[in-house]
Amino acid sequence: MQYNYDFEIASLLIMTIILLHFVFVRQFPGEKTRVFGWLLFVCEAECLMNILSCVGLANAALVPQRLNEVLAFAFFVLEGASSYLVYRYFMAACAIRGMERTVFAAAGIIPFAAFLVLVAVTPVTGFFYYFSDGSYYQGVGADYGYAYIVIFFLLDLLIVVRQHKYTTLRTKVIVCAYTAVAAAMIGLQYRYREILCTSVSNTVVLIMLYLQIQNPVVFLDTTTGIGNGTAFESQLEDRLGRKGEGYVLTIHLSKFYHIHTILGTENSNELLREIGEYLYDLCGKFHVFHTAGDAFTVFADTKEQCERLKCEIQKRFESDWVVQENRIALDMETVVQHYPTDFKAMAEYYGMREFLLENAGKSGAQVIVEADADMIAQYRRRRKVEIAVARAIREKGFLVYYQPVYSLKERQIVSLEALVRLKDPELGFIPPEEFIPLAERDGNIIHIGEQVLEQCCRFLSKHVLSNGSLGIRTIHVNISMVQCLRQNLTETIRPVLESYHIPPSMLTLEVTERTAIGAPERMLWHMHELGKMGVSFALDDYGSGNANCSYLIHFPFQEIKIDKEIVWASFHDKAARIVLENEIHTIKQLGIPLIIEGIEEREQSEAMEQLGVECIQGYYYGRPLPEQECLRYIRTFQEKAQNDRQQAAVPGETQREAGR
């Protein structure tokens, strides 16, 4: 048979160009790079063996049969290896880890090993091919070679399907395109045995892999010329996969955006290039990366190297950097993490890095923070709390406790504040001050707020609207800055009120100072829109932070709640008492109702009453309680208060005990 190997020659030329570029252009080491190098070599060798074999067979009179047998044998071995290596590359690209990696590796090695065994015995059995009188003939098992390739097509597709959540779109496209092209080439080869085109599919996949995944340009940072975040992740995954140990140092440039504003883009980039060159010279090839606009990351292979890098980097940043004759003092925080002690996976690395950077940012300039046992324990506790919050959101597991607000004028409980609580089946009771900041940081506070509002409205509808003797006129619900940043806050609240037939006037939304100043225009808009419905707003924790009367001028709050810290301080600090008295006087002059928080003793209550305070909230008049306990407490308290009002008596210790 006369073979047409024009397609093979074209494929050989293209693969040679890719091979030369791969060899002479710097490649970042890693599993994908190693497998790709072998794949490229094997595919080119397979193509070359196919061409030489065809030439040898066409000139059988001149070429010894033994040489043609060797060429045919080498081609079949390389053909089997190329399909297997494509599969192994997709395994690496799709980030298969753990037990699944073992399973997929076995799924690939079994057919590959069986294929090699059949090839090895072919010179004796003639399974794939045999020679007779110097001519080449296909054996009875020739079609098994096609079936073998199809097996790996299916395994490639199975990897993508199984890892679709962790596989990039371009990798999915490459796998599907390679499968389609290779299937078409196999069909053509099977139909027209004299046309050799099996290397076309290999060439297609090599081009796509090299341009889209393996291209070294993808791993270079255009600003500094060193490795970028993609290169860093690839290197770290490779290091973690090899079960080695080492150190990762993250150098974060504090307030770099200020410097960028002052210097401009061109000079800022020049500064980053200078830092990158310094770190590159210090740390070595493939060890330094520009992972973010204001962050560099470097690897240290040993503890000794890590200690040296820490000292050198800190010493260098204590000196100025010079750009275009500008002397620039840079502050930095360096976070040091050891693997596998501190982290064993990429997600854990990022989570702990951010946690350590938060701690480093509180310590000043040129800070180096290294994870210790306490920090690791704190981080892992935070991760467990984050998981508990996510679980509670998914399972609607948040509880709402209600704390009474007592009117000194009416001598009864007139409203309640809804307070969210979380009791996790694994962690037990988690304090609000622990889980709420985490929920605000990742946006889960929105879902928590929705659940709290839903429970409050259900509580009002079921127990309060039809029971006027409870005396509850309003319920206070806290909203966070994250919720206020949403444009559809009104559309989120209105349907819940309507579905439970709750008058909007019964709802008071409590806003902290941080929320008010975080998005003032959006806050005013929400207050206007919800105010038209009848919803009220209260400024919570007034007196903490920088809160002052300007908030009362710019925002139409219907109530003010003075923070318990300033209230407690006023009982043993003269300056704090003067401040508190002035604040109460000012707010009363503005005609805004006032609630004092943190009242825990009778003397405190009486002192606030003398200052003209309208309402009190604190343990003296009731702790936060679950729904049913709160209802029982209110009924008992109100009955006792009604009897006391008839005698015009001030609530005393006996009333408090009766209420409890």
Side-chain angles (χ1 to χ4, degrees), residues 45-46 61 116 136 141 154 174 208 217 251 278 280 286 292 342-343 354 379 421 441 449 484 530 568:
E46 175 194 351
L116 291 181
Y136 172 87
L154 297 176
I174 289 171
M208 290 190 296
V217 176
I251 300 102
Y278 164 75
Y280 185 87
F286 305 135
D342 298 346
F343 65 92
E354 294 307 310
Y379 167 72
R421 296 291 185 263
R441 191 190 64 182
C484 289
L530 288 166
W568 291 345

Side-chain angles (χ1 to χ4, degrees), residues 325-381:
E325 299 182 355
N326 295 311
R327 302 188 69 85
I328 303 161
L330 279 176
D331 293 337
M332 64 85 189
E333 300 102 19
T334 298
V335 167
V336 182
Q337 295 168 262
H338 175 263
Y339 61 88
T341 304
D342 298 346
F343 65 92
K344 296 180 176 66
M346 188 71 69
E348 193 175 12
Y349 157 75
Y350 279 118
M352 181 168 287
R353 185 193 69 177
E354 294 307 310
F355 176 75
L356 294 174
L357 278 173
E358 289 175 17
N359 285 273
K362 303 171 184 176
S363 305
Q366 322 311 350
V367 179
I368 295 179
V369 175
E370 191 162 1
D372 56 24
D374 289 340
M375 286 185 175
I376 294 172
Q378 290 174 31
Y379 167 72
R380 289 178 177 164
R381 164 71 183 185

Side-chain angles (χ1 to χ4, degrees), residues 568-578:
W568 291 345
S570 69
F571 289 102
H572 56 78
D573 185 277
K574 182 178 180 181
R577 181 164 184 84
I578 293 172

Side-chain angles (χ1 to χ4, degrees), residues 20 34 206 245 361 379 446 452 475 483 517 556 571 591 596:
L20 291 173
R34 292 191 295 272
L206 287 171
E245 66 172 313
Y379 167 72
I446 292 173
V452 170
I475 191 163
Q483 291 172 278
I517 65 174
F571 289 102
I596 296 291

